[in-house]
């Protein structure tokens, strides 16, 4: 299997998707922000000075998904039909679990939009909480599933 973003001479290129059929495409992704119990308790109590961490992270993730084509050099700008971002408290981490879902009708998939939404939502949590806990970690940013397109559906096992 060859990498589609490289031409015959090995140079980076944007893939020509002009001949691909327009289909409904979806992708879901996730990410986690692990933090101290003290920071988690402040987020849960909505006591972070910058505001409502979960809501701001959800809005940031939504905005990021819509701008993925501007952020990732070889991504096609896509007219997304739906972006859902959920940032939820995860006491078992302790921290925040982010899940995203993106849908569009297009010629290329929306995995990058879902991943970008998850990553930026996690980064937003970090930004808002860093005054309390600079040791937070972001992990587990990954695609969970995708539908549509010529390669068909895929689900993480």
């Amino acid at each position: 299997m060859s990498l589609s973003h490289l031409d015959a001479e090995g140079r980076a290129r944007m893939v020509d998707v002009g001949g691909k059929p327009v289909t409904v495409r979806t992708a879901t992704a996730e990410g986690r922000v692990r933090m101290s119990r003290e920071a988690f308790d402040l987020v849960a109590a909505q006591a972070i000075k910058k505001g409502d961490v979960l809501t701001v992270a959800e809005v940031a993730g939504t905005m990021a998904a819509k701008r993925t084509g501007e952020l990732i050099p070889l991504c096609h700008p896509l007219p997304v039909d739906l972006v859902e971002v959920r940032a939820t408290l995860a006491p078992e981490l302790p921290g925040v679990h982010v899940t995203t879902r993106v849908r569009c009708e297009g010629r290329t998939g929306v995995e990058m939009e879902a991943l970008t939404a998850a990553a930026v939502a996690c980064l937003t949590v970090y930004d808002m909480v860093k005054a309390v806990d600079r040791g937070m970690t972001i992990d587990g940013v990954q695609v969970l599933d995708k539908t549509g397109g010529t390669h068909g559906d895929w689900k993480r096992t």
Side-chain angles (χ1 to χ4, degrees):
M1 177 179 260
S2 63
L3 297 175
S4 61
H5 283 85
L6 297 177
D7 67 13
E9 297 169 356
R11 291 190 320 244
R13 68 175 176 99
M14 184 180 228
V15 175
D16 181 359
V17 297
K20 293 172 102 181
V22 173
T23 62
V24 175
R25 294 154 183 273
T26 67
T28 58
E30 71 176 349
R32 294 180 297 267
V33 182
R34 297 175 191 271
M35 60 187 65
S36 67
R37 178 59 61 181
E38 174 193 8
F40 175 82
D41 290 343
L42 289 169
V43 172
Q46 293 190 2
I48 296 293
K49 289 183 181 180
K50 286 189 173 185
D52 181 347
V53 173
L54 302 180
T55 299
V56 174
E58 290 172 350
V59 171
T62 300
M63 292 173 65
K66 297 188 305 182
R67 300 192 75 166
T68 300
E70 296 173 35
L71 299 169
I72 310 294
L74 302 177
C75 270
H76 292 82
L78 298 177
V80 295
D81 298 320
L82 171 75
V83 178
E84 294 176 333
V85 180
R86 299 269 183 218
T88 57
L89 294 170
E92 71 279 4
L93 294 176
V96 175
H97 181 241
V98 173
T99 56
T100 66
R101 181 171 173 260
V102 180
R103 184 182 71 230
C104 83
E105 288 186 40
R107 291 185 166 97
T108 188
V110 289
E111 297 97 309
M112 294 308 300
E113 286 72 14
L115 285 166
T116 300
V120 170
C122 288
L123 289 167
T124 300
V125 171
Y126 186 97
D127 178 58
M128 293 186 73
V129 183
K130 70 183 180 227
V132 178
D133 181 5
R134 293 206 183 265
M136 289 177 286
T137 60
I138 295 171
D139 65 35
V141 177
Q142 61 186 349
V143 174
L144 299 175
D145 60 57
K146 57 89 66 191
T147 65
T150 56
H151 296 291
D153 299 352
W154 178 85
K155 186 172 180 74
R156 182 170 299 282
T157 54

